[in-house]
Amino acid sequence: MAGPAAALAVAALAAQAALPAAAPAAAAAGRQGAAPVNSPVDAGEYRTAEDAEPIEGAASSTGGEKVEAGKTYTDSLAPGDELYYSVTLDAKSHAWISAVAAPKPGTKVAYGDGIELELESKGGDRCSSSDVDFAADGAARPIADYVGRVVQPGGACQEAGVYHLIVTRVSDATSSPAEWPLELRFMAEPPLAKAGPTTPPDPQSIPTEAPPPPTGKAEPRKGGTGFNDAVAIDHGVWTDEIRPGATHFYRVPLDWGQQLFLQTEFGTTRVSDETAFASNGVRVDFYNPARGFVADENETYFGDDPAAIPAVAPPVAYENRYASYSRELGNVGFAGWYYLAVSVSEEVGEFADGPVPVELRTTVKGEPEEGPAYDGDAAAAGFGVTDDDRDTAAEGTAAGAESDGDGAGKKILAIAGIGAGVVLLAGLGLWTLLARRRAVPGAAGGPQVAGADTQTAPGAYGSGAGGPAYGERPYGDGHPPLPPQQNWRQ
């Protein structure tokens, strides 16, 4: 299965090299009515690290190829695939293994299509599991999440040894049978030099009142296609343009004790139909340094009327990871690069005549605090913020343009299109959405449900009293059951 993805990568690289010579021909084709301006082919293709290695998942638990810490891999998922990979864990490090499914822009998907992840022992004991889906019917975008093993007394899968990573594709019969490019990454977080705090903060004590958003001069920052070429931003105002069907990635360095406040504004654009709208037209997703999905939010977009998605994350704290009752708190337990994925749905292209202007106002609140003492170089493993990282954010360097570093900091190859994670601690006052809601003619008033991460409580992504049903799948052996989820909208 690695073959199609690798071939696609080479083809994309060749196409990129030929762009200057092809420009006149492309322009002529456009005049002849070949592809509309907002065609999905214009949405951009997901880029993976140059050092990503092709791998082929096995259909049985006995034949999985090895996924090693510190490396990135590429494979592909066909409808109905349940692929096995082999993972060796030590008895000291926290292990985080992510998967990105990146259907090509324009691929037909259905509500509920997505991927399921599971980490289990050779004896079949579950360490952790998660699942994520596309949410909106027909809106293909890259989706990602992770599974992990937290080292803690009485926890699951504490022994050193070989484990199984299982990635399953879930697809409706009406969806496109095309394979989805898949990217896997294994990050090993060093253990602490001495025992650290394991009690998460009281959610009621976490500040949620947003400071005034930045109002300085906006700087253009063109977002990347994915995690590997996400453009760096920090405190300030940043502008971009996103075509329908595309997702742009940005990354923000958050150190211990720092808190991110975000306001994403989608501006007006020329429209062919002033009455048209897309009920899930724009969205923002938030990911942690290990590519774990934190939360998301979407908004209706009319084209001739602006939309906004404001949100706030909890301060970064090591002990957050022990908040097994909440993904939005539990997955903000690392210092490092956090990722924002901003998407405009393909449906917007049916009435918008061009790209959608986007403005991000980011506030990083708080000075860096002294974090836990690791027994190893956490920053080199991807869990930390250095002075160079802060300089990179100030300069707006894309991850793939950096000359040093591993994983995301190396050159890139194109393989397929993507989209992806941001917002709130449901019912507990975090990730408070302040955006004005516009009444949508004929639209249902129910919630918009994102893919459930069964490691922590699913978020209530929608309005109204009837939030999404509490997740039925357990977090994993050795972890407390999840409480019923409350609706987080204020």
Side-chain angles (χ1 to χ4, degrees):
M1 294 185 182
L8 184 56
V10 174
L13 186 60
Q16 184 178 13
L19 278 178
R31 288 193 297 271
Q32 296 172 10
V37 172
N38 284 336
S39 168
V41 299
D42 297 323
E45 297 185 337
Y46 182 76
R47 296 171 183 264
T48 190
E50 183 185 44
D51 60 354
E53 300 177 8
I55 193 172
E56 188 167 348
S60 169
S61 60
T62 60
E65 291 189 32
K66 187 175 182 180
V67 173
E68 298 182 4
K71 293 187 177 182
T72 305
Y73 300 85
T74 57
D75 200 351
S76 59
L77 281 171
D81 270 354
E82 181 179 78
L83 303 182
Y84 285 80
Y85 306 89
S86 175
V87 180
T88 300
L89 304 183
D90 60 29
K92 300 186 301 181
S93 304
H94 302 299
W96 309 102
I97 307 143
S98 63
V100 181
K104 189 173 182 178
T107 301
K108 185 181 186 323
V109 298
Y111 180 89
D113 283 8
I115 55 174
E116 297 176 347
L117 308 178
E118 186 170 344
L119 183 65
E120 70 173 17
S121 71
K122 279 288 189 178
D125 296 327
R126 177 183 293 177
C127 308
S128 70
S129 64
S130 68
D131 56 84
V132 62
D133 61 44
F134 296 102
D137 185 26
R141 57 186 178 86
I143 52 177
D145 207 354
Y146 69 175
V147 286
R149 190 279 306 272
V150 176
V151 177
Q152 59 180 334
C157 304
Q158 301 296 294
E159 300 81 10
V162 178
Y163 292 79
H164 297 141
L165 169 66
I166 310 168
V167 183
T168 303
R169 171 172 166 173
V170 179
S171 291
D172 189 82
T174 62
S175 300
S176 168
E179 292 187 344
W180 298 344
L182 178 71
E183 182 174 88
L184 303 175
R185 191 182 188 199
F186 180 5
M187 298 178 69
E189 182 187 12
L192 298 185
K194 62 179 181 179
T198 59
T199 302
D202 178 1
Q204 301 301 327
S205 69
I206 297 176
T208 59
E209 183 177 354
T215 58
K217 182 179 179 181
E219 295 185 26
R221 292 280 172 94
K222 182 173 178 58
T225 65
F227 294 100
N228 302 298
D229 63 348
V231 69
I233 59 176
D234 58 2
H235 185 99
V237 185
W238 320 99
T239 61
D240 199 356
E241 290 186 336
I242 303 179
R243 290 190 177 278
T247 295
H248 286 191
F249 277 72
Y250 314 85
R251 56 186 183 136
V252 183
L254 295 178
D255 213 336
W256 301 111
Q258 292 188 313
Q259 185 174 17
L260 176 66
F261 293 82
L262 172 70
Q263 179 162 301
T264 308
E265 302 165 4
F266 300 86
T268 59
T269 189
R270 292 179 301 173
V271 296
S272 57
D273 183 353
E274 295 182 354
T275 65
F277 64 90
S279 59
N280 299 294
V282 293
R283 69 181 296 121
V284 180
D285 298 294
F286 188 48
Y287 290 89
N288 68 24
R291 302 184 178 183
F293 178 70
V294 179
D296 70 349
E297 180 51 47
N298 60 64
E299 178 63 274
T300 297
Y301 183 71
F302 283 78
D304 62 347
D305 198 19
I309 300 177
V312 52
V316 177
Y318 186 88
E319 57 269 28
N320 286 351
R321 68 188 63 199
Y322 297 104
S324 59
Y325 51 81
S326 168
R327 171 181 55 201
E328 293 80 12
L329 180 58
N331 283 359
V332 187
F334 316 95
W337 288 104
Y338 282 77
Y339 297 87
L340 303 169
V342 181
S343 305
V344 175
S345 77
E346 184 181 333
E347 184 182 359
V348 172
E350 297 176 6
F351 58 85
D353 293 334
V356 174
V358 176
E359 194 164 78
L360 294 90
R361 299 179 187 270
T362 53
T363 300
V364 178
K365 182 180 179 181
E367 294 297 322
E369 299 176 357
E370 183 177 357
Y374 281 97
D375 183 12
D377 192 340
F383 302 98
V385 177
T386 65
D387 289 339
D388 287 343
D389 292 334
R390 297 185 182 93
D391 291 342
T392 294
E395 296 166 0
T397 305
E402 296 171 2
S403 58
D404 296 316
D406 56 20
K410 294 192 174 180
K411 294 180 181 179
I412 44 182
L413 293 173
I415 59 171
I418 188 161
V422 154
V423 173
L424 50 10
L425 178 57
L428 298 177
L430 299 181
W431 287 104
T432 304
L433 183 73
L434 305 175
R436 174 181 61 82
R437 287 284 158 174
R438 178 171 179 177
V440 180
Q448 301 297 321
V449 183
D453 174 358
T454 55
Q455 293 186 29
T456 46
Y461 308 130
S463 59
Y470 165 59
E472 296 179 354
R473 296 180 61 186
Y475 170 92
D477 297 338
H479 293 271
L482 305 178
Q485 184 64 58
Q486 305 176 47
N487 182 36
W488 58 272
R489 287 190 183 277
Q490 305 296 316

